[in-house]
Each structure stands twice: as structure tokens, then as C-alpha cells.
Amino acid sequence: MRSRRLLLRREPLYRLLCTLAAALTLGALCATPASAEFGLSDMSVRFLEADGSEATQAGSHPFEMRTFFSVNTTINEKSIEVIDGAIRNLEIILPAGFVGNPTAVPPCETIDFLSSGEGCADSTALGVLTVEIGGGLGTPGKETVPVYNLRPSPGSAAKLGFEVAELPQTVDVVASQAHPYNVTAKLSNTPQITEVISGETVLWGNPADPIHDSKRGRCQITPAADTCPANIPIKPFLTLPRTCSAPLSTTFRALSW
């Protein structure tokens, strides 16, 4: 099938004055007329405090980071909502100065992540991912799955792993080699059969904090698991940019199957 490329850039809704907030506005679709149906919408990147308010202190460690996007959909002849193009590759270029510490929790080995047995330990969990799946090729519905800290691939600063519709997927996190050294999250060759309509990733600012015990790791997989403690020292994972001299921006790039 012919690939279709999408580039969307979102600029801040308001300027930072020695504070920080992530607010994005919808950009333009850069595609040929033949591929204009494929696209993303409702993209957002937010840094929040524990009470749900925006994290606005430069250089601070937010409670969580929420990244959301939707894929354009249509209603087919069976009255089922289906996507206009399955995402193959997705890149999210984060604001300059934003950093993450992959040593905040221990890494899960790839062989354990792919294992059908116990898999990754709860102590390696970084957050959760909630996806809505269309009914074009599978069973529609929503599912929330754990996001794990994997041992990074050569050339990557960090690597995240999760399963959608029981299919393992990974995200490579790399840092730009040129100023302003933005961090980029890259999801490559996602399984076309999943038909993701929307996705929201929640990464915790301090993953080992006991406040996340009910949502960590196997607690998202096994309903009988009431609490899943990390049992490791609490270390900050996310740090907001330390300067606020200019507006921030996040760029989403997507390529369809």
C-alpha cells in the first residue's frame, strides 16, 4: 500500500514567563490531496501536578506527563467507526530542555518483555497507556496497559515497551545531536491490525512513588492484583525545561501504512 506522510506542529497557547506549561494548537496537514484523509487531531502534551493542575515551575519534577492524539476516522458501510489510515511510524519531538532519567527505575530486559511468562517486573513500570481500537480488523474497545522501561537499543537514550491487543511494541527515545537537543520519541512499524483510533500515554514523574501502586505493572493486567509496589528508592523520572526564555512547541510526525 502507498505510504502517506503527515507533519503536524503545535505551538503554545500562551507564553511562558519564568514558568512552564505545555499547551499546543492544531497545525497544518502536509500531504498530497490523494492522502489527505489520513491525519491526527486533538494532539496534546500536558505536564500536571498531583491535583490535576498544570505544572508551571521551570526545572521542576511534574507528577505526570500526558500525551494524547486521535487518528481521523470514518463510518464504513457496516456503521463501524474505522480509521482513515493505520499509523505505521509516529514521532513526537518534545520541547527543548525537557529531559527524562531512564535510571529512575531499573530496566526490563527485552527477552523478559517479550516473554509469555511473568514478563517485566513491576519495579520497571513508568506509567500506563490507554488506547481505543477500531472495529475494522479486530474487536473494538479500549484497553489500558502498563508502560515499561526497557534496556535501550544502541544509539537510544531510553526505550519504552507496551502491548496493545497482545502485540508488543517499543518506543525508542533519542536526543537530537544539534541545538537545542530536543528529545524525540519514535514508534516504528506498529502492527497494522491494531487500528488505533486514539492513544493517551501517562508517564509518572516519580514512577516508584507508592501513590501509583494500584496502577503499576501487573495491576493493569491482573484484576486480582490489588497493589503492585515498586519496592525501590523513589527517584524523579521527568524534569521540565529549566529556562523559559521562549515559547515551547511539540511536533508530531506520522506515516501511515
Coordinates of all heavy atoms in Angstrom, one line a residue, residues 183-226:
V183 N 14.4 16.0 22.8 CA 14.2 14.6 22.9 C 13.1 14.2 22.0 O 12.0 14.9 21.9 CB 13.8 14.3 24.4 CG1 13.4 12.8 24.5 CG2 15.0 14.6 25.3
T184 N 13.3 13.1 21.3 CA 12.3 12.6 20.3 C 11.9 11.1 20.7 O 12.8 10.3 20.8 CB 12.8 12.6 18.9 OG1 13.1 14.0 18.5 CG2 11.8 12.1 17.9
A185 N 10.6 10.9 20.8 CA 10.1 9.5 21.0 C 9.7 8.9 19.6 O 8.9 9.6 18.9 CB 8.9 9.5 21.9
K186 N 10.2 7.8 19.3 CA 10.0 7.2 17.9 C 9.3 5.8 18.1 O 9.9 4.9 18.7 CB 11.3 7.0 17.2 CG 12.0 8.4 16.9 CD 13.2 8.1 16.0 CE 13.9 9.5 15.7 NZ 15.1 9.2 14.8
L187 N 8.1 5.7 17.5 CA 7.4 4.4 17.4 C 7.4 4.0 16.0 O 6.9 4.7 15.1 CB 5.9 4.6 17.9 CG 5.0 3.4 17.9 CD1 5.5 2.3 18.8 CD2 3.6 3.8 18.2
S188 N 8.0 2.8 15.7 CA 8.2 2.4 14.3 C 7.5 1.1 14.0 O 7.5 0.1 14.8 CB 9.7 2.3 14.0 OG 10.4 3.5 14.3
N189 N 7.0 0.9 12.8 CA 6.4 -0.3 12.3 C 5.4 -0.9 13.2 O 5.5 -2.1 13.6 CB 7.5 -1.3 11.9 CG 8.4 -0.8 10.8 OD1 7.8 -0.3 9.8 ND2 9.7 -1.0 10.8
T190 N 4.4 -0.1 13.7 CA 3.4 -0.7 14.5 C 2.6 -1.7 13.8 O 2.4 -1.6 12.6 CB 2.5 0.5 15.1 OG1 1.8 1.0 13.9 CG2 3.3 1.5 15.8
P191 N 2.0 -2.7 14.5 CA 1.2 -3.7 13.8 C -0.1 -3.0 13.2 O -0.8 -2.4 13.9 CB 0.8 -4.7 14.9 CG 1.9 -4.5 15.9 CD 2.2 -3.0 15.9
Q192 N -0.3 -3.2 11.9 CA -1.4 -2.6 11.2 C -2.7 -3.1 11.7 O -3.7 -2.4 11.7 CB -1.2 -2.8 9.7 CG -2.3 -2.1 8.9 CD -2.0 -2.3 7.4 OE1 -1.2 -3.0 7.0 NE2 -2.8 -1.6 6.5
I193 N -2.8 -4.3 12.2 CA -4.0 -4.9 12.6 C -4.7 -4.2 13.8 O -5.9 -4.4 14.0 CB -3.8 -6.4 12.9 CG1 -5.1 -7.2 12.9 CG2 -3.0 -6.6 14.1 CD1 -5.0 -8.6 13.0
T194 N -3.9 -3.5 14.6 CA -4.4 -2.9 15.8 C -5.4 -1.8 15.5 O -6.4 -1.6 16.3 CB -3.3 -2.4 16.7 OG1 -2.5 -1.5 16.0 CG2 -2.5 -3.5 17.3
E195 N -5.3 -1.0 14.5 CA -6.2 0.1 14.1 C -6.5 1.0 15.3 O -7.6 1.1 15.7 CB -7.5 -0.5 13.5 CG -7.3 -1.1 12.1 CD -8.6 -1.0 11.3 OE1 -9.7 -0.7 11.9 OE2 -8.6 -1.4 10.1
V196 N -5.5 1.6 15.8 CA -5.6 2.5 16.9 C -6.4 3.8 16.5 O -6.0 4.5 15.6 CB -4.3 2.9 17.5 CG1 -4.4 4.0 18.6 CG2 -3.6 1.6 18.1
I197 N -7.5 4.1 17.2 CA -8.2 5.3 17.0 C -7.7 6.5 17.8 O -7.6 7.6 17.3 CB -9.7 5.1 17.3 CG1 -10.4 4.1 16.3 CG2 -10.5 6.4 17.3 CD1 -11.8 3.8 16.6
S198 N -7.3 6.2 19.0 CA -6.7 7.2 19.9 C -5.8 6.6 20.9 O -5.9 5.4 21.2 CB -7.8 8.1 20.6 OG -8.5 7.3 21.5
G199 N -4.9 7.4 21.4 CA -4.0 6.9 22.4 C -3.6 8.0 23.4 O -3.3 9.1 23.0
E200 N -3.5 7.6 24.7 CA -3.1 8.5 25.7 C -2.0 7.8 26.6 O -2.3 6.8 27.2 CB -4.2 9.1 26.6 CG -3.7 10.1 27.6 CD -4.8 10.7 28.4 OE1 -5.6 9.9 29.0 OE2 -4.9 11.9 28.5
T201 N -0.8 8.4 26.6 CA 0.2 7.9 27.4 C 0.4 8.7 28.7 O 0.4 9.9 28.6 CB 1.6 7.9 26.7 OG1 1.4 7.1 25.5 CG2 2.7 7.2 27.5
V202 N 0.4 8.1 29.8 CA 0.6 8.8 31.1 C 1.9 8.3 31.7 O 2.0 7.1 32.1 CB -0.5 8.5 32.1 CG1 -0.2 9.2 33.4 CG2 -1.8 9.0 31.5
L203 N 3.0 9.1 31.7 CA 4.2 8.8 32.3 C 4.3 9.5 33.7 O 4.0 10.7 33.8 CB 5.4 9.2 31.4 CG 5.5 8.5 30.1 CD1 6.7 9.0 29.3 CD2 5.6 7.0 30.2
W204 N 4.7 8.8 34.7 CA 4.8 9.3 36.1 C 6.1 10.1 36.3 O 7.2 9.6 35.9 CB 4.6 8.2 37.1 CG 3.3 7.4 36.9 CD1 2.1 7.9 36.6 CD2 3.2 6.0 37.0 NE1 1.2 6.9 36.5 CE2 1.8 5.7 36.8 CE3 4.0 4.9 37.2 CZ2 1.2 4.4 36.8 CZ3 3.5 3.6 37.3 CH2 2.1 3.4 37.0
G205 N 6.0 11.2 37.0 CA 7.1 12.0 37.3 C 8.1 11.3 38.3 O 9.3 11.4 38.1
N206 N 7.5 10.5 39.2 CA 8.3 9.7 40.2 C 7.7 8.3 40.1 O 6.8 8.0 40.9 CB 8.2 10.3 41.6 CG 9.0 11.6 41.7 OD1 10.2 11.6 41.7 ND2 8.2 12.7 41.7
P207 N 8.1 7.4 39.2 CA 7.5 6.1 39.0 C 7.4 5.2 40.2 O 6.4 4.4 40.3 CB 8.3 5.5 37.9 CG 9.0 6.6 37.2 CD 9.2 7.7 38.3
A208 N 8.4 5.3 41.1 CA 8.4 4.4 42.3 C 7.5 4.9 43.4 O 7.4 4.2 44.4 CB 9.8 4.2 42.7
D209 N 6.9 6.1 43.3 CA 6.1 6.6 44.4 C 4.9 5.6 44.7 O 4.2 5.2 43.7 CB 5.5 8.0 43.9 CG 4.8 8.7 45.0 OD1 4.2 8.1 45.9 OD2 4.9 10.0 45.0
P210 N 4.7 5.3 45.9 CA 3.6 4.4 46.3 C 2.2 4.8 45.8 O 1.3 4.0 45.8 CB 3.7 4.3 47.8 CG 5.1 4.6 48.1 CD 5.5 5.7 47.1
I211 N 2.0 6.1 45.5 CA 0.7 6.5 45.0 C 0.3 5.8 43.7 O -0.9 5.8 43.4 CB 0.7 8.1 44.8 CG1 -0.7 8.6 44.8 CG2 1.5 8.5 43.6 CD1 -0.8 10.1 44.8
H212 N 1.3 5.3 43.0 CA 1.0 4.6 41.8 C 0.9 3.0 41.9 O 0.7 2.3 40.9 CB 2.1 4.8 40.7 CG 2.4 6.3 40.5 ND1 1.4 7.1 40.0 CD2 3.5 7.0 40.6 CE1 1.9 8.4 39.9 NE2 3.2 8.3 40.2
D213 N 0.9 2.5 43.1 CA 0.9 1.1 43.4 C -0.3 0.4 42.8 O -0.2 -0.8 42.3 CB 1.0 0.8 44.9 CG 2.4 1.1 45.5 OD1 3.3 1.4 44.7 OD2 2.5 0.9 46.7
S214 N -1.5 1.0 42.8 CA -2.7 0.3 42.3 C -2.7 0.3 40.7 O -3.6 -0.4 40.2 CB -3.9 1.0 42.8 OG -4.0 2.4 42.4
K215 N -1.9 1.1 40.1 CA -1.9 1.1 38.6 C -0.6 0.6 38.0 O -0.5 0.6 36.7 CB -2.1 2.6 38.2 CG -3.4 3.2 38.6 CD -3.4 4.7 38.2 CE -4.7 5.3 38.7 NZ -4.8 6.8 38.2
R216 N 0.3 0.2 38.8 CA 1.7 -0.2 38.3 C 1.7 -1.6 37.7 O 1.2 -2.6 38.4 CB 2.7 0.0 39.4 CG 4.1 -0.3 38.9 CD 5.1 -0.2 40.1 NE 5.2 1.2 40.6 CZ 4.8 1.6 41.7 NH1 4.1 0.8 42.5 NH2 4.9 2.9 42.1
G217 N 2.4 -1.8 36.6 CA 2.7 -3.1 36.1 C 1.5 -4.1 36.0 O 0.5 -3.9 35.4
R218 N 1.7 -5.2 36.7 CA 0.7 -6.3 36.6 C -0.7 -5.9 37.2 O -1.7 -6.6 36.9 CB 1.2 -7.6 37.4 CG 1.5 -7.3 38.8 CD 2.2 -8.5 39.4 NE 2.7 -8.2 40.8 CZ 2.0 -8.3 41.9 NH1 0.8 -8.8 41.8 NH2 2.5 -8.0 43.0
C219 N -0.8 -4.8 37.9 CA -2.1 -4.4 38.4 C -3.0 -3.9 37.3 O -4.2 -3.9 37.4 CB -1.9 -3.2 39.4 SG -1.5 -3.8 41.1
Q220 N -2.4 -3.6 36.1 CA -3.1 -3.2 34.9 C -3.5 -4.5 34.1 O -4.3 -4.4 33.2 CB -2.3 -2.3 34.0 CG -2.2 -0.9 34.6 CD -3.5 -0.1 34.7 OE1 -4.5 -0.5 34.0 NE2 -3.6 0.9 35.5
I221 N -2.8 -5.6 34.4 CA -3.0 -6.8 33.6 C -3.9 -7.8 34.4 O -4.7 -8.5 33.8 CB -1.6 -7.4 33.3 CG1 -0.8 -6.4 32.5 CG2 -1.8 -8.7 32.5 CD1 0.6 -6.9 32.3
T222 N -3.6 -7.9 35.7 CA -4.3 -8.9 36.5 C -5.3 -8.3 37.5 O -4.9 -7.6 38.4 CB -3.3 -9.7 37.4 OG1 -2.3 -10.3 36.5 CG2 -4.0 -10.9 38.1
P223 N -6.6 -8.4 37.2 CA -7.6 -7.8 38.1 C -7.5 -8.1 39.5 O -7.9 -7.3 40.4 CB -9.0 -8.3 37.5 CG -8.6 -8.6 36.1 CD -7.2 -9.2 36.1
A224 N -7.0 -9.3 39.8 CA -6.9 -9.8 41.2 C -5.8 -9.1 42.0 O -5.7 -9.2 43.2 CB -6.7 -11.3 41.3
A225 N -4.9 -8.4 41.3 CA -3.8 -7.7 41.9 C -4.2 -6.4 42.5 O -4.5 -5.5 41.7 CB -2.6 -7.6 41.0
D226 N -4.3 -6.2 43.8 CA -4.8 -5.0 44.4 C -3.7 -3.9 44.5 O -4.0 -2.8 44.3 CB -5.4 -5.3 45.8 CG -6.6 -6.2 45.8 OD1 -7.4 -6.1 44.8 OD2 -6.8 -7.0 46.7

